[in-house]
Amino acid sequence: MFKMIFENALGKIEMGGGTHEKMNVTAINGFGNPAKECKTVSFSGQAGAVTTSVRELSRTMTVAGVFKGSAREVSDMYKILSAAGVLKTDFNGDRKKISCRAVSTDGFERIKSSGMYKFALQFQADIPYFSDWEKRSVSVFKRENQVTSPFTLPTVLTKRVNVKTEVFVDSEDIVYPTIVIKNYSGAATGDSFGFKILNEDTGKQIEILYAVQAGETVTADLGKRRITASIGGSVTNCISSDTVLSDFYLKPGKNRITVLNYDNSLSIAAYLMYDNAYRTAVY
C-alpha cells in the first residue's frame, strides 16, 4: 500500500494505491534512479572510450489510475496542478518528497456512464533527488555542564567553548545545511565576536565575523549561499576572507562539526538543519 500527495498554495491532491476511495493509482513510473548523461572521449588506436563526466538529469514521474468523483472536482484539481508544488510519497511508511510541477495534466478521461475518470499525470522535477518529509535538525552547541547528560534542541552555550558534535547523514549525496545561531543574551561586546563552524571530515569551515545584537538570530543558508540576521539584515559580506560558502557541506555518513563562539559574554544556541538527498522513493 502507498499514498501520494501533491500540494501547493492552491490546495492538495491525495492519491493512493490499492483501494483509495477517490484517486486509485494503478501505475507509476520515474520513482527509481534518475537518468544519467555521460560524456566520453575516444582516442585514436584505443578500443572503447573514456568517460569524462556523469550528470544526473531532471526527473519525470508519471502517475496513472482511476478517479471517482465529479466534474467540479476535476476542475479543482486542474487549478492545483497549474502551479509548482511538492509531491509527497509514502511507500509502506517510507516517506519522501520532491519539488516538482505538473507538465502534462490533460489526462482526465471520463469513463462513460460511470462517474469515474481515467487519469495520467506527469510531473517534472528539475532536481532529481527526493528528501524526507521533514528537515533534519541537529544541535551543534550545548551547555558546558551537559557534556555527559541528555539535552534538548536547541541547547545553550553559556561561555566560550569549542564544541564538537557528530552528525550522521543518511543522504546519498552531499547536502548543504542551514545553520541557525540564536543569541539569548545582550549584544556582542569587546573586540572578539563572531563564530567559526568547521566540518572536520571535509576539512572545510565558515567563519562569520558579525557582532550579533541582543536577541538576534543569524541564519546561514549554505544552499542559497547567503547569511541573514533577524535585525541586521543581509550579513553575507561579514564572512572571513578565506570562507567560501559553497565549500561547506555535509557528506554522506559521519560529519564531525566543531563550533567556536568568539564572544565569552554571549549565551548562544545553535543548530543546523538539512534535507537528505535520495535517488529513489520506491524500494
Side-chain angles (χ1 to χ4, degrees), residues 90-268:
D90 184 344
F91 291 97
N92 297 316
D94 186 10
R95 295 182 168 186
K96 302 287 193 300
K97 68 179 180 180
I98 190 168
S99 296
C100 60
R101 68 172 57 249
V103 292
S104 177
T105 61
D106 57 353
F108 284 91
E109 179 185 347
R110 189 179 184 90
I111 302 174
K112 189 174 180 180
S113 303
S114 67
M116 295 188 292
Y117 296 79
K118 292 181 180 179
F119 69 87
L121 306 177
Q122 195 170 72
F123 300 93
Q124 182 80 23
D126 294 340
I127 305 300
Y129 304 127
F130 295 90
S131 62
D132 300 301
W133 278 23
E134 303 294 337
K135 283 183 177 291
R136 300 294 178 94
S137 179
V138 181
S139 171
V140 289
F141 272 14
K142 56 181 178 289
R143 288 185 188 274
E144 188 178 24
N145 62 1
Q146 290 181 331
V147 171
T148 59
S149 61
F151 57 93
T152 57
L153 301 179
T155 54
V156 178
L157 181 69
T158 56
K159 58 188 296 186
R160 181 173 177 171
V161 181
N162 195 342
V163 178
K164 182 187 297 184
T165 303
E166 187 172 297
V167 179
F168 192 88
V169 176
D170 295 326
S171 180
E172 298 173 15
D173 201 354
I174 64 170
V175 295
Y176 288 95
T178 295
I179 301 170
V180 181
I181 302 169
K182 172 69 176 177
N183 178 23
Y184 287 98
S185 52
T189 60
D191 297 328
S192 295
F193 55 82
F195 315 92
K196 179 191 289 186
I197 304 99
L198 166 68
N199 186 338
E200 294 187 8
D201 288 281
T202 64
K204 303 299 183 180
Q205 69 180 38
I206 60 173
E207 196 171 26
I208 305 172
L209 302 178
Y210 173 68
V212 295
Q213 301 183 49
E216 189 169 33
T217 298
V218 176
T219 303
D221 188 334
L222 299 177
K224 296 181 178 178
R225 317 289 194 257
R226 68 187 183 193
I227 304 173
T228 56
S230 58
I231 299 174
S234 176
V235 294
T236 307
N237 62 334
C238 295
I239 58 176
S240 63
S241 60
D242 60 348
T243 291
V244 179
L245 296 181
S246 60
D247 283 350
F248 194 93
Y249 57 82
L250 303 177
K251 66 178 185 64
K254 183 174 66 174
N255 295 262
R256 290 169 294 176
I257 306 299
T258 298
V259 179
L260 178 62
N261 170 28
Y262 290 148
D263 190 334
N264 301 16
S265 67
L266 297 181
S267 180
I268 297 295

Side-chain angles (χ1 to χ4, degrees), residues 69-94:
S70 66
R72 176 58 184 271
E73 289 175 297
V74 172
S75 177
D76 290 341
M77 285 191 287
Y78 275 132
K79 293 176 182 178
I80 296 171
L81 292 167
S82 67
V86 174
L87 181 63
K88 294 182 176 180
T89 65
D90 184 344
F91 291 97
N92 297 316
D94 186 10

